[in-house]
Amino acid sequence: MSDAALNRDERAELERLRAQAQGRGRRGLRWTGSVVLLVLAAVVLVLATVTVFARNEVLNTDRFVETMEPLYHDDEVRAAIAARVSNAVDEALDVDALVAEAIDAVQTRGGPEVLDRLAVPLASGIDSFIDKQVTAVVHSDQFTELWSQATRGAHTALVSLLRGESGSGALELQGEDLVLDLGPVLEQVKQRMVDAGFALAERIPAMSVTFTIASSEALPQLRTAAALLDAAAWILPIAGLALLAAGVALAPDRRRGLLIGALAVAVGMLLLSLGLEIGRSAYLAGLGDAVQSPAAAGNVYDAVTRFLGDAAQTVTVLALIVALACWLLGPGTAARASRRLGATGRDAAARGLAGAGVTFGAAGAFVHRYRRGIEVALVAAGLLWIVLWRYPGVSGVLTVALVVAVLILVVELIGRAAFKAAQSRARAVLFAADAVGEQGQRAGGGTGAERLYKRFTGPGRDQMPAPSIGGCTGLGEATSSGVRGCVTRRGPSSSIPGRVSATSATDHRTPPF
């Protein structure tokens, strides 16, 4: 059947169905584009997190020193450093050769041959003395300060190295290894042994003792990557947020679009956290024989990556909070039940405040009228707080979320308390009008007033029109002599005889709502 054979009603129904089919097609395309943008946003934000972390660690000396600070007090790391320095001292002195030389010198002067049996105990005693002195130095506060200074100077040298500037320092790239020169520590140990009466320590030459901080095939390419980190650390976060905003804007249902975007970001950050754990296992498994303490190497990995892990956890919690808020605003049965429960408690508290005379006056009226804008401003302020907070962490995000939620609840209570008080004043005005004057009788008596009150203040009527009595509008106050405080004239001056007086034409006070 052709379209020409259809009557008017059939043609209208056909056009409606065609429009509906086209609308569904466009809606599906919008959802597809939105989901693609939101997934890209999650990927870009994960990359942005890693990039910002890398930039701070590689090119920000203060951040690197802060990252390394836990290692200064780590027992496993100190033990590994003590073993490395002790071996360096032993190699420099060649204790076995010194003991043999000393015994030969005594025997050439008539000493007994039995002295040869003392070579091993003497060498062991000297080694124990060296280990004791090194351990004392490494576990001292002086060593902590020395390491901190060495780390700062070394990282400054590393920044110069990565930027292609000439310079030398305690930290160097040696192939695929990032090594720290512990020469100053060795000098301190040498001086301590000399002060303790071990004169042979004077033979220890000034030398470089390296300690490998990190080893990776990517280290030689860091110099090339350093030039890109500064730009990428700014570009990627902005690009990720822009993609997220575009995906939400394109979604036919923006609330659901934001929910999907938040969950995508949370999943991305969880995968990043999982990747750090897998990377730790792979790093420890790939350690060579040169690493004497795998436990110390694991602690170094944890210290270096802790800020990245904290950032991933922080963004995960923030994204989940946003997703929870979007779900609570949704049409689901559980979400609606949660909102009804919250509204019931809020209204009960507001009625209690209004009954106690706590109405907050004009401020309450202002808060009620602009409460949505105030709540949006509170959420924006909370997000800005998190952004400006240097290291909020999971606890910081939860604290900000709790503070914002409490402030929003306070705004709702103030606005609802003022609204409930206005409802009570409106009831007093209407029932006073019913009780007196011929105009009240013509309005239908008590039953008509109750109908009018319910019409203006029933469920869903948050914004309440001001009742009109005797040519006046506004929420007055019922008294024994009539209604006082009638505001803002409508039409000619008139009054309810003997009970309600209209205000003068010069009274222009604004009603509460």
Side-chain angles (χ1 to χ4, degrees), residues 53 193 250 296 338 444 507:
F53 162 78
M193 288 191 294
L250 183 61
S338 300
D507 190 351

Side-chain angles (χ1 to χ4, degrees), residues 69-81 138-139 147 295-296 299-300:
E69 184 176 1
L71 299 180
Y72 305 158
H73 311 285
D74 188 279
D75 291 338
E76 293 288 345
V77 174
R78 288 196 179 202
I81 291 176
V138 170
H139 286 81
W147 192 5
N299 292 343
V300 171

Side-chain angles (χ1 to χ4, degrees), residues 430 433-435 437-452:
L430 293 173
D434 273 342
E438 296 179 356
Q439 183 174 348
Q441 293 296 330
R442 289 194 299 271
T447 302
E450 291 173 358
R451 285 201 304 269
L452 185 61

